[in-house]
Amino acid sequence: MDAATAIGTLLSPGTNKEPYAAYAALRAQGPVVPGQGACFVTGYAAVDRILRDPDILAYDAAMLDTQWPDWRANRALLLFVDSMLKQNPPNHTRMRRLAAGVFTARRVNALREVIVAQVDEALDELAANAVDGEVDVITHLAYPLPIGVITALLGVPATDRGMFRRLAEALTAVLEVRYSREQGRAAHKAAYELEAYFEQLLALRRREPADDLVTVLAAAHDADGDRLTGAELMGNLALLLVAGFETTTNLLGNGVMLLLEHPEYARRLAADPALAPAYVEEILRIDSPVQATNRFVGRDKEIEGVPVPGGTELILLLGAANRDPERFTDPDRFDPDRPGNAPLSFGAGAHYCLGAPLARLEAQVALPALLRRFPRLALARRPERRDRSNLRGWATLPVRLDSVD
C-alpha cells in the first residue's frame, strides 16, 4: 500500500476498516507525512511532542472559519467547539479548571466501591439477558456500566440513561477526522435533542442543587458568566457526557475481544486481578479506543525535519503511535507484561483526557470480574465493528457465558 492509498483509506468515513496496514504504510514514509492538505503523524515521539507543544493548537472556531465558513450551520459542531475539547488557552484553561475537581485521583479512587457494585449489577444483568447462553457484551455491559458511572457524576437521573447511547452514536460522528453529510445531519439533530434535555436538567439542579457536576457548572455560570458562558456550559456538559462513556465503552469492548483472542492471558487475569492495570494499559496501546485526533500549526514550523506552514492541519494517528516499533518492541503483539508501557490513547499535555483515570478504573474492575464470573466465556459468533474510524470499538460482541457459578 502506498502513502496516497493509505491516506485515502484513513480519511474515508464509515468504512468499518482495520487501519493498521495503512498506519504501517505511512510509517514507512517517516513519522510525518504530508498529504491531502494535511500532515499525518505516525511516530510516537512526534505525536507526544506535538500534543505538548503550546505552539500547536486545538482545532478551534478560528481555524474552522478559515477552512469551513458554514460550519456553524451544524449544531453538533457548535456544541463541541464551545467545549474545552476545541479551545486553546486561556479559555481551555479556565473551562478545564472548573471540571477538574470532579476527576481528581482522590475522588476517582473513592468511586471504586461504587464501580465494583455497578459491575456486579451489570454482570447480573448480563446473565439475566442471555438467551440460550448467548448475550451481547456491548449492550449489556460495555455501554451500561460507563453510562451509569458518568451520569451519576453529572447528576443525570438513572431513569434517563437509556437515551444516551442513541444520541452519542449520532453526535460523535463530528468528532471524526472526516464524516459523511448524512452523519453530519444526524449529529445536528441529536445536538438539539441533547441540549433540550440539559436545559431541563439544569433547571432542576438550580431548584434542587446536588453534589454533581451539573450543579457545579451551573453555579459557575450563574455566579459569573465570565467564568462559563451559557454556550460553554452546554458544550462542556455534552462533551463530559459523551466522552465520559464513549471511550470507556470502546475500551471495555476491545479489552473483552483481546482477552477472548488470548485465553492464556485471560486465565491469568481471572486468577490475579492485581494484574489488571498492566492489562488495561496494553489494551489501550494495541487497540486504542481513540485512534486519531487533530491539531493545527499556529505558525510555520519544522516537525521531525518536515517544514509545515502555519495553518496546516495535523492528523495525529494515536493508534499508529501506539504501535511505533521505535518505541515498542514487537508492537503488534498483545503483551500485558510489556515493560515501560505508556500509550498515548488518552492524549498528552494540556488536553490530556480528564476522565482517563476513571476509564482505567472501570476497566480494571470490570474485566477481571467478568472473567471470574464467567470462566468459560467465549465468542458466540462474528462481532461487528462500529461504523467509525477515530472512535474504534465494537457495535456488537456476542458471547456465550457458559457460567459455572
Side-chain angles (χ1 to χ4, degrees), residues 77-400:
L77 276 173
L78 272 172
L79 199 58
F80 287 124
V81 167
D82 283 325
S83 77
M84 69 185 91
L85 180 69
K86 299 293 186 181
Q87 294 286 331
N88 293 295
N91 287 341
H92 172 265
T93 309
R94 168 176 53 83
M95 293 182 206
R96 187 178 174 97
R97 188 179 295 121
L98 287 171
V102 177
F103 295 97
T104 61
R106 178 182 297 179
R107 186 152 188 171
V108 169
N109 287 333
L111 286 170
R112 178 176 285 273
E113 290 186 9
V114 174
I115 292 171
V116 168
Q118 290 204 17
V119 167
D120 288 341
E121 181 181 333
L123 295 180
D124 288 342
E125 288 295 313
L126 197 67
N129 282 281
V131 178
D132 295 328
E134 182 178 323
V135 66
D136 181 39
V137 165
I138 303 301
T139 298
H140 297 292
L141 175 64
Y143 261 110
L145 173 62
I147 285 176
V149 173
I150 193 61
T151 52
L153 277 174
L154 281 167
V156 171
T159 52
D160 294 341
R161 292 174 187 169
M163 65 188 288
F164 295 121
R165 179 176 182 178
R166 171 181 58 82
L167 292 177
E169 185 68 26
L171 276 170
T172 52
V174 299
L175 299 181
E176 295 285 308
V177 172
R178 301 289 185 270
Y179 56 89
S180 69
R181 185 173 298 178
E182 181 180 352
Q183 289 173 324
R185 285 195 294 265
H188 175 77
K189 181 179 178 182
Y192 276 110
E193 188 173 345
L194 186 61
E195 283 187 278
Y197 174 82
F198 274 129
E199 289 288 0
Q200 294 178 349
L201 183 59
L202 285 163
L204 174 63
R205 286 292 172 258
R206 284 172 172 128
R207 294 193 306 270
E208 302 173 13
D211 182 21
D212 58 47
L213 193 50
V214 170
T215 300
V216 169
L217 294 181
H221 169 262
D222 296 349
D224 183 353
D226 289 337
R227 292 186 66 202
L228 197 69
T229 69
E232 291 168 350
L233 171 62
M234 196 62 67
N236 282 296
L237 286 175
L239 172 67
L240 290 165
L241 173 69
V242 171
F245 76 83
E246 276 282 341
T247 301
T248 311
T249 292
N250 290 345
L251 169 58
L252 290 170
N254 294 349
V256 171
M257 187 64 183
L258 282 163
L259 291 167
L260 292 175
E261 292 173 336
H262 298 85
E264 71 285 4
Y265 283 123
R267 287 190 290 269
R268 282 181 55 196
L269 181 58
D272 187 1
L275 297 172
Y279 272 66
V280 169
E281 293 312 294
E282 181 66 351
I283 292 163
L284 285 166
R285 185 196 70 81
I286 201 166
D287 205 13
S288 178
V290 180
Q291 290 284 308
T293 187
N294 58 0
R295 296 290 189 269
F296 74 92
V297 179
R299 57 182 176 81
D300 292 357
K301 196 174 186 68
E302 186 174 284
I303 302 176
E304 302 294 319
V306 177
V308 180
T312 300
E313 180 182 11
L314 301 175
I315 298 179
L316 309 181
L317 299 171
L318 305 177
N322 285 341
R323 295 195 183 202
D324 183 353
E326 295 292 322
R327 174 61 176 81
F328 299 102
T329 302
D330 198 3
D332 295 327
R333 180 169 63 91
F334 179 64
D335 179 13
D337 299 321
R338 186 180 298 279
N341 205 355
L344 293 172
S345 307
F346 289 116
H351 281 268
Y352 182 77
C353 177
L354 267 178
L358 185 60
R360 285 185 165 104
L361 180 58
E362 290 178 58
Q364 289 166 10
V365 172
L367 292 174
L370 173 69
L371 297 172
R372 291 197 309 272
R373 177 77 175 270
F374 306 109
R376 296 181 182 175
L377 191 74
L379 195 64
R381 48 195 166 81
R382 185 179 179 84
E384 297 178 7
R385 278 282 182 193
R386 293 184 64 190
D387 193 20
R388 290 286 188 271
S389 298
N390 292 15
L391 299 175
R392 180 171 169 83
W394 296 99
T396 66
L397 187 49
V399 298
R400 290 197 61 82

